[in-house]
Amino acid sequence: MTKNWRGQLRVGSIIKETPTVKTIRLQPASGERFLPFTFVPGQFLNVAFWIGGGRMNRSYSISSSPNQREYLDLTVRREPRGAVSRHIVDLLREGDLIEAGGPVGTFTFTGKEADSIVLISGGVGITPMVSISRYLTEQSWPGDIYFIYVCRTPADYILAEEIAELERRNPKLHVTITMTRAEGADWKGPRGHLTEELLTESVPELTSRRIHLCGPIPMMDATKALLAEMGVPKEQVKTEAFGTPKPTPAPAGTTAKPSAEAAGPLVTFSKNNKSAKIHAGQTVLELSEDLGIGIQFSCRVGTCGVCKVKMTEGEVDQEVQDSLDDDDKASGIILACQAKPKTPVTVEA
Ligand SMILES: Cc1cc2nc3c(=O)[nH]c(=O)nc-3n(C[C@H](O)[C@H](O)[C@H](O)COP(=O)(O)OP(=O)(O)OC[C@H]3O[C@@H](n4cnc5c(N)ncnc54)[C@H](O)[C@@H]3O)c2cc1C
Ligand code: FES
């Protein structure tokens, strides 16, 4: 697997999946045959666009299989008021170059980690599960794959034909799809949200299996609670959140809000020569936005690593550190979106 690759990729083709979802097929930018990096199924890319004069970073899981070395697919849902997803779905054209970095992420499964896998997803959280299912099928992996997808209506079922084709080819792939809002639609399968009954019917001996879970935050919270009630040990459940709504940061170099009345430790942004006390519960990223420092970010939940900064002084608490490796930690790199200072802190930003 390649680490820390950054560069450009070319949009090779665009496939309309549902009324609001498109797959963007990305190829090498410069005429080479193969992608400049390899990845593990379940990983994602960080992409950046200049929109309205500002640089915006977002993360998208790779939905294609890593066995496919000539291209990779990102499958993106258009959020009604989303800055970047609308740009991708409405404006990207074949031949466009996009800035990307990665591959990133530890929400991966290659078949070596367990002898069966339960993949539970909702909405656009299906994308890493499709990459994993494609890869395991191509490898003729001998384990059982329980693919469970919670979707609103049949029209919103992303990559439906692909899943049906994989199911035909792989007798070890057991697919369960439930529709939460299928009223009036021609749907013969299960309806409603995920329940204990549906999970028990779909996955024998659920409590002994490794489970991957990805979807909208309320669906993930409800599923985690359900799995706990059913007796699944917490350490068997791997999750990935696709982020939270983001406040719009102030453009670099401007001050959006004064940070008066803050009583927490002093934070110094050494490259910008600015310091301010932090509010209780505030992260270094949020304070940097108040001060117009311009630290880049994408997920704001500790997964993507876009907000990494070097801390040259001080101590911070970080609830999630998924995107920091041992080298990062040894050299003082922190995640600005997670870092809550415990002492006065200086960061190189
Ligand atoms: C690891 C990871 C993997 C991901 N993989 C995928 C993937 O495979 N496919 C995919 O589609 N997404 C994926 N995402 C989510 C993706 O990164 C973006 O968060 C998503 O596309 C929304 O970005 P945006 O710029 O369009 O929305 P933003 O502008 O960031 O807005 C975020 C949300 O707030 C809402 N919103 C924005 N402005 C307003 C407003 N003024 N009032 C009310 N609501 C508002 C938007 O509708 C949207 O739902 C992934 C995220 C992570 C962290
Ligand atoms: S913004 Fe993704 S890890 Fe901080």
Side-chain angles (χ1 to χ4, degrees), residues 70-132:
E70 294 175 2
Y71 64 80
L72 62 80
D73 289 344
L74 304 182
T75 300
V76 178
R77 187 178 62 201
R78 183 187 193 279
E79 299 292 341
R81 303 175 83 169
V84 174
S85 62
R86 285 189 303 162
H87 183 89
I88 293 175
V89 172
D90 298 350
L91 300 177
L92 271 192
R93 296 288 173 260
E94 280 178 26
D96 286 352
L97 291 174
I98 68 165
E99 253 186 83
V104 207
T106 53
F107 186 63
T108 55
F109 188 78
T110 62
K112 295 197 186 90
E113 303 83 345
D115 56 13
S116 72
I117 180 84
V118 183
L119 304 170
I120 305 179
S121 61
V124 80
I126 195 172
T127 50
M129 311 312 192
V130 174
S131 178
I132 293 171

Side-chain angles (χ1 to χ4, degrees), residues 44 56 58-62 75-77 79-86 124 127-128 240-246 298-299 301 303-304:
F44 59 91
M56 295 194 177
R58 295 290 183 271
S59 310
Y60 292 99
S61 295
I62 302 171
T75 300
V76 178
R77 187 178 62 201
E79 299 292 341
R81 303 175 83 169
V84 174
S85 62
R86 285 189 303 162
V124 80
T127 50
E240 182 150 276
F242 272 9
T244 48
K246 302 154 182 73
S298 173
C299 69
V301 290
T303 323
C304 70

Side-chain angles (χ1 to χ4, degrees), residues 29-235:
S30 49
E32 276 107 31
R33 181 158 172 218
F34 295 120
L35 291 168
F37 54 84
T38 57
F39 63 93
V40 178
Q43 286 196 300
F44 59 91
L45 277 195
N46 288 320
V47 296
F49 293 93
W50 288 90
I51 299 172
R55 187 184 154 93
M56 295 194 177
N57 299 283
R58 295 290 183 271
S59 310
Y60 292 99
S61 295
I62 302 171
S63 56
S64 51
S65 160
N67 286 332
Q68 180 49 256
R69 296 288 325 282
E70 294 175 2
Y71 64 80
L72 62 80
D73 289 344
L74 304 182
T75 300
V76 178
R77 187 178 62 201
R78 183 187 193 279
E79 299 292 341
R81 303 175 83 169
V84 174
S85 62
R86 285 189 303 162
H87 183 89
I88 293 175
V89 172
D90 298 350
L91 300 177
L92 271 192
R93 296 288 173 260
E94 280 178 26
D96 286 352
L97 291 174
I98 68 165
E99 253 186 83
V104 207
T106 53
F107 186 63
T108 55
F109 188 78
T110 62
K112 295 197 186 90
E113 303 83 345
D115 56 13
S116 72
I117 180 84
V118 183
L119 304 170
I120 305 179
S121 61
V124 80
I126 195 172
T127 50
M129 311 312 192
V130 174
S131 178
I132 293 171
S133 303
R134 283 174 162 160
Y135 176 76
L136 296 176
T137 299
E138 289 160 0
Q139 300 297 106
S140 300
W141 186 62
D144 284 301
I145 309 164
Y146 297 95
F147 188 103
I148 298 173
Y149 182 47
V150 183
C151 183
R152 283 152 65 101
T153 71
D156 297 308
Y157 181 3
I158 305 166
L159 298 164
E161 283 169 25
E162 176 79 29
I163 306 296
E165 176 57 27
L166 286 174
E167 201 181 10
R168 268 192 296 277
R169 278 167 45 202
N170 184 354
K172 304 293 263 181
L173 178 66
H174 315 282
V175 178
T176 303
I177 314 289
T178 181
M179 297 287 167
T180 58
R181 299 209 193 147
E183 298 88 8
D186 178 22
W187 177 251
K188 297 186 179 59
R191 290 172 186 246
H193 290 279
L194 213 49
T195 58
E196 181 166 348
E197 292 68 40
L198 188 59
L199 273 178
T200 313
E201 269 169 34
S202 313
V203 188
E205 295 149 35
L206 176 76
T207 51
S208 63
R209 298 183 194 277
R210 177 179 169 120
I211 301 174
H212 282 212
L213 170 63
C214 182
I217 287 172
M219 176 265 179
M220 288 200 8
D221 288 345
T223 309
K224 276 190 262 182
L226 178 62
L227 294 171
E229 261 171 49
M230 292 174 71
V232 178
K234 214 174 158 192
E235 51 291 356

